[in-house]
Amino acid sequence: MKKKDLTKEKKILDATVQIIIDEGAAAISTTKVAKKVGISQSNIYLYFKDKRALLDGVYLREIGRLEETTGMKQMLDPNEAMIPRVFSYLKALYDFSLANPHSLFVIEQIKLLSRDFPDYIENLVGPNNPVAQLFETGIKAKVLRPIDRSLSMTIIFSVIRRHTENIQTGVYSENDASFAAVSRMIWDAITIVPYPDELLK
Amino acid sequence: MKKKDLTKEKKILDATVQIIIDEGAAAISTTKVAKKVGISQSNIYLYFKDKRALLDGVYLREIGRLEETTGMKQMLDPNEAMIPRVFSYLKALYDFSLANPHSLFVIEQIKLLSRDFPDYIENLVGPNNPVAQLFETGIKAKVLRPIDRSLSMTIIFSVIRRHTENIQTGVYSENDASFAAVSRMIWDAITIVPYPDELLK
Amino acid sequence: MKKKDLTKEKKILDATVQIIIDEGAAAISTTKVAKKVGISQSNIYLYFKDKRALLDGVYLREIGRLEETTGMKQMLDPNEAMIPRVFSYLKALYDFSLANPHSLFVIEQIKLLSRDFPDYIENLVGPNNPVAQLFETGIKAKVLRPIDRSLSMTIIFSVIRRHTENIQTGVYSENDASFAAVSRMIWDAITIVPYPDELLK
Amino acid sequence: MKKKDLTKEKKILDATVQIIIDEGAAAISTTKVAKKVGISQSNIYLYFKDKRALLDGVYLREIGRLEETTGMKQMLDPNEAMIPRVFSYLKALYDFSLANPHSLFVIEQIKLLSRDFPDYIENLVGPNNPVAQLFETGIKAKVLRPIDRSLSMTIIFSVIRRHTENIQTGVYSENDASFAAVSRMIWDAITIVPYPDELLK
DNA sequence: TATGAATGAGTGTTCATTCAT
DNA sequence: AATGAATGAACACTCATTCAT
């Protein structure tokens, strides 16, 4: 149960992610993962006690990537003004998604498997639920739309995920649908203030 | 391939839907479905030639329910003005989702499970792809936001689905988040005209 | 259990034979046969009480075809001289096999399935086992090789079956390997007299 | 894909062969084999990736036994004279068949069951297809009958197989039908030279 | 005579998991 | 830390057969 070889653990997670991307989360099996890594099937159980633990590992790693985003952190910085906080958050998430085009997809796929995974990152970031605090502050400041934040979050994630997928699958190119257009759409949905054109440096 | 006893076919579909609701689409197995209906496993193959055909059956039934909605039909009526068409579409979908709280969820689950299902109802409603035509017309008429319609659709579906789920799981009551508030949010995202307050009967 | 519609019975047998030719005897199933005939699966049980009975039907029909051959009958005519009897038997079997290229194959395939089918036609032709009598007479007349007739029979059948298959699969054309050559080979194996060239009219 | 415990692999092959002998090749199922060996059904898939691979295993083992025969090797020795080569081949095959009474039967059964197995050993022995070369040489040397070798091969195999079966099932004893008689019969079929009595040591 | 409906047993195959080495 | 071996349960799917209509 000791986890020494972090390289191997990473390899296992990578292989699992690749299978999700190629065949969907329902296709994951320890057999397949082991074959992909080039280790024996039982070896996986040295690093993850369970298939569920393996899934947890993948899920948490993707979530973690998102959280480490500078935009994510900037969003939570209470010294910033509200509008730049929201705007840079969108920008960061947008960039993140294009740079890691599978990340949101993987998160979604794992949730498909068992519903008892925590919902998105809505309630996950750090102690005291800072996301909740930001939304409350934003609403009081009359910047964010006064509505349950889960709806705003859903829009942010679903639009960016779909946009990324569209580019990925060649529905349109990155030039056709600019960040300006996409972020403005989201902005109009989740805020009640005009889109801050000047922030588009 | 269909047989006479439509009751049985319906029972099988119902059981499958229930499993999706309870455990997710990935948990579907012919064994489970049969047990739930109270028939022998092989009997299922009299009504559906395949597991895939069973999934198709569930998917198409839910899609069909949506299409039969009066709002859906109203949306497609070219004699109507654009703003009421979009508005009544939102209203209809909203009502439908609250009346069939699992329907959008089931559609999403199946779509997620096997990526080769046709995408939502985006391209499904009848011949000549009337949804595409509506969006094109709406954009030309400077009512809908000039952006790939898949993004607008995503917003409509994800927000309404999440809203329904929120009510279902008691996150808030139907009074706390009114149709007015939810539809206005979507409206601001997908159109470039002010929300038509007067249409709120 | 009454068998009225002989046409239908024939159709069932034909379909079964076709499946054997296409996929081998192991692939026979009442489902497949019924589908091929265009009747319901259960209908087969009106004509054949069993799957075994169906196989019997096919087997006996093919055997019967062979027995009805004029050469077969000529072979058994005690008024004929021994050498022409044997020769015309070979000729008849040869012609039969080329005319019904699947017949010996089907017999072989059914025997594959359950070993309790009677062996070839060795002991089947009519009462008093006339084949046995012919071989005894032939051996006494110092025409046939004095050896258990099953070995001679095996040569006759295996060579002609293989020859037919060779032509069927294009190993060589009928011109390359003539009846003269093939029958001479068999002749030298099963008799102890010179090949009767003059009988090659 | 092969694992260490060669004993187990052998046991599985043995059980499969036994089923073929008892019930025919069509009766093979992984369930039956596993039960016969006394292991779990899934264990078979550790040693054979497929049912087909299992059949391959049985087939190749029997073929291999044949090829290892000294007579087989002698037949291929180009320094020997043609007549002894052919004769010793017959003798070797004869002895082999009596020593392994099921071997030719098993080969035939598997070949019959799935037609895509390589044909007998006709084209299998080593590189450059030495069997083909022997037959060509033999025909040029005016020893073997100038006819497609598949027909000669068929005679050799079918006669020896049937002879073995006859003894096995008590149709006659080994004394009644001597090697001399049987081999002479084959000899007269496949060669055009007199039977070499002097080689019967 | 014919069919649709049903089923229990069987098929080959994959799975997550355990354990001795 | 790693593996080969093993297994029982599950999987989708097919089968021969029966029965009421």
Side-chain angles (χ1 to χ4, degrees), chain B residues 20-181:
Chain B
I20 296 179
I21 294 170
D22 293 343
E23 313 173 52
I28 297 172
S29 86
T30 54
T31 322
K32 255 185 226 163
V33 173
K35 201 166 287 171
K36 201 152 210 138
V37 180
I39 57 177
S40 80
Q41 189 206 9
S42 54
N43 197 356
I44 289 179
Y45 286 82
L46 243 50
Y47 294 87
F48 301 94
K49 77 175 236 299
D50 241 15
K51 195 194 177 185
R52 166 72 194 220
L54 173 60
L55 259 11
D56 279 347
V58 173
Y59 189 72
L60 291 175
R61 191 172 67 159
E62 299 300 334
I63 295 274
R65 273 184 190 153
L66 207 54
E67 287 176 359
E68 283 164 15
T69 296
T70 59
M72 263 293 190
K73 287 173 181 153
Q74 207 162 341
M75 181 214 204
L76 297 172
D77 179 358
N79 297 326
E80 279 283 358
M82 186 53 67
I83 290 182
R85 279 172 77 181
V86 174
F87 187 84
S88 69
Y89 172 59
L90 288 185
K91 181 87 175 76
L93 193 58
Y94 183 93
D95 290 342
F96 172 81
S97 184
L98 287 184
N100 306 276
H102 62 264
S103 211
L104 298 186
F105 175 72
V106 166
I107 289 173
E108 198 187 31
Q109 281 277 317
I110 294 186
K111 184 78 190 52
L112 240 39
L113 184 66
S114 45
R115 248 105 92 255
D116 54 343
F117 273 85
D119 207 311
Y120 286 119
I121 19 66
E122 286 174 27
N123 302 298
L124 250 199
V125 193
N128 303 326
N129 204 346
V131 175
Q133 286 181 0
L134 175 90
F135 270 86
E136 271 176 42
T137 317
I139 291 171
K140 268 187 203 137
K142 296 202 189 299
V143 169
L144 293 180
R145 187 182 292 264
I147 205 166
D148 192 278
R149 75 175 190 281
S150 69
L151 299 182
S152 304
M153 284 296 232
T154 286
I155 289 185
I156 298 171
F157 275 86
S158 65
V159 168
I160 293 183
R161 198 185 69 58
R162 182 61 187 259
H163 174 63
T164 307
E165 193 184 309
N166 282 341
I167 288 172
Q168 209 68 13
T169 57
V171 174
Y172 48 69
S173 84
E174 221 172 324
N175 299 330
D176 298 330
S178 65
F179 167 68

